[in-house]
Amino acid sequence: MTEAQRRKAAAEFASRWEGKGYEKGESQMYWLTLLRDVLGVECPEDLIVFEDQVKLDHTSFIDGRIPSTAVLIEQKSLDKDLMAPIRQSDGTFLTPFRQAKRYSAEIPYSQRPRWIVVCNFREFHIYDMERPDGEPEIVLLANLPSQFHRLDFLVRKGSSSVVSQTEVSVKAGGLVGKLYNLLLNNYAEPHEDNVLRELNKLCVRLVFCLYAEDTDLFGQRNAFHDYLAPYRERPADVRRAIIDLFDTLNTPYAERDPYLDPDLAAFPYVNGGLFAGKVQVPFLTKEFIDELLDNASMGCDWSHIS
């Protein structure tokens, strides 16, 4: 599925389930639809296990488990507060998360979950059991069209894309600061006002490219990275590739060279003037290129930026 298709599917899923959700009658349909339509699992019934038995002082049932990605799901009805204790059959009061942890303790050690997801149809509270006493990450159904990537851990082993917008935004700010400083050091007159203006414009354009490749704006994920990566051992060529890309992004389709390199022609026209005019691009170092491609591009998901 493309980014655009996933975003559309997430919006349709959120609209369909808004204000709905009965634990016993609709849980399985909810999760099967989410896995198939939003997360792209062709046969979700082969991935998720419902009503798995677990022995406490009596036989209980786990609402859902995804063994391949070590996920345990505790599902509640729409009207349930996921942070509030609920009376259990043995008379104790446990929050849904504590209830799920009790189930987890009775599962064979090799099958215990990395992730516990507590859901009431309108909220996903996601607990990383690498930090069992940490606060949950929360994804709202209403925000799913822009945050569906945060649920990728459900179907992709090793994924940690559940990180919050705040955490990613702070990380991104640090990355931009490092890129800024690496570029600044390569200008001939780094402290001249006109140079700083050019540097600011350059950084804004680079940030747009990083964001665009993690959304549907460039047509496919990692498009900016994949365009530059073949030149990474030749800094002068990376510099020229960036200049050519900016020029292409500023050129309407009808005005482009009919013999434009296909790698450049694949990029869209970006109206609004962001790429209008030339911008000074200094000589680039290997350190800057590695930081841009490995950490800023591949190491950060800009679609989560607040």
Side-chain angles (χ1 to χ4, degrees):
M1 297 175 69
T2 66
E3 297 297 302
Q5 288 171 331
R6 292 186 68 191
R7 180 172 288 105
K8 182 175 182 290
E12 291 173 350
F13 180 85
S15 177
R16 174 182 178 182
W17 287 98
E18 182 181 5
K20 300 177 184 176
Y22 173 58
E23 177 184 350
K24 298 301 181 186
E26 297 178 310
S27 294
Q28 294 188 18
M29 182 185 299
Y30 182 87
W31 282 95
L32 289 171
T33 305
L34 175 68
L35 292 170
R36 182 186 64 245
D37 295 350
V38 180
L39 299 179
V41 179
E42 187 173 345
C43 297
E45 62 274 10
D46 295 335
L47 183 76
I48 189 169
V49 178
F50 296 109
E51 300 297 325
D52 213 2
Q53 290 190 14
V54 61
K55 287 286 187 181
L56 300 175
D57 55 347
H58 59 286
T59 300
S60 295
F61 296 90
I62 299 172
D63 292 325
R65 281 206 309 128
I66 305 178
S68 61
T69 50
V71 174
L72 186 151
I73 299 163
E74 179 61 27
Q75 183 69 38
K76 297 300 179 187
S77 294
L78 183 67
D79 60 344
K80 297 297 183 183
D81 181 347
L82 297 181
M83 294 296 190
I86 300 171
R87 185 181 178 89
Q88 307 296 303
S89 58
D90 61 1
T92 60
F93 284 83
L94 297 174
T95 64
F97 172 58
R98 294 294 173 185
Q99 181 182 350
K101 281 188 71 176
R102 186 163 69 168
Y103 292 158
S104 174
E106 299 303 321
I107 296 174
Y109 187 82
S110 62
Q111 301 174 29
R112 289 182 184 176
R114 159 72 188 276
W115 309 96
I116 289 179
V117 181
V118 179
C119 180
N120 64 359
F121 293 90
R122 71 171 181 272
E123 298 178 13
F124 301 86
H125 290 207
I126 304 159
Y127 295 84
D128 183 351
M129 300 312 292
E130 291 291 332
R131 299 180 289 109
D133 296 320
E135 293 297 314
E137 296 290 345
I138 298 176
V139 178
L140 302 180
L141 177 69
N143 294 337
L144 199 60
S146 62
Q147 297 186 14
F148 57 86
H149 284 298
R150 295 181 67 193
L151 298 184
D152 281 349
F153 73 95
L154 293 169
V155 297
R156 297 181 186 173
K157 190 172 183 179
S159 173
S160 58
S161 59
V162 68
V163 292
S164 69
Q165 283 188 331
T166 300
E167 184 178 342
V168 177
S169 297
V170 170
K171 177 181 179 180
L175 289 169
V176 173
K178 188 167 184 179
L179 293 174
Y180 182 99
N181 288 329
L182 289 172
L183 287 167
L184 178 64
N185 293 335
N186 288 325
Y187 281 96
E189 301 290 340
H191 300 296
E192 295 291 330
D193 288 345
N194 67 310
V195 169
L196 294 178
R197 283 193 293 271
E198 291 293 307
L199 175 54
N200 288 335
K201 287 167 58 178
L202 174 57
C203 284
V204 169
R205 292 184 182 187
L206 291 174
V207 166
F208 176 87
C209 291
L210 292 167
Y211 178 82
E213 73 169 349
D214 282 344
T215 61
D216 62 342
L217 296 179
F218 278 170
Q220 68 178 47
R221 202 164 179 84
N222 301 326
F224 181 55
H225 172 277
D226 293 347
Y227 165 68
L228 293 179
Y231 310 108
R232 69 180 302 159
E233 300 301 326
R234 304 189 302 276
D237 290 345
V238 173
R239 178 179 180 273
R240 171 48 53 189
I242 289 174
I243 293 171
D244 290 345
L245 176 60
F246 290 170
D247 183 61
T248 299
L249 293 172
N250 189 55
T251 305
Y253 295 108
E255 299 176 15
R256 291 183 177 181
D257 182 346
Y259 304 105
L260 186 65
D261 186 299
D263 289 342
L264 280 170
F267 286 91
Y269 166 55
V270 178
N271 59 15
L274 177 61
F275 292 95
K278 303 295 183 182
V279 64
Q280 290 184 22
V281 180
F283 293 117
L284 304 180
T285 63
K286 185 67 165 56
E287 182 182 5
F288 169 82
I289 295 168
D290 289 344
E291 184 70 20
L292 177 66
L293 295 181
D294 296 336
N295 296 329
S297 178
M298 299 304 290
C300 183
D301 188 344
W302 293 77
S303 68
H304 297 160
I305 296 298
S306 173

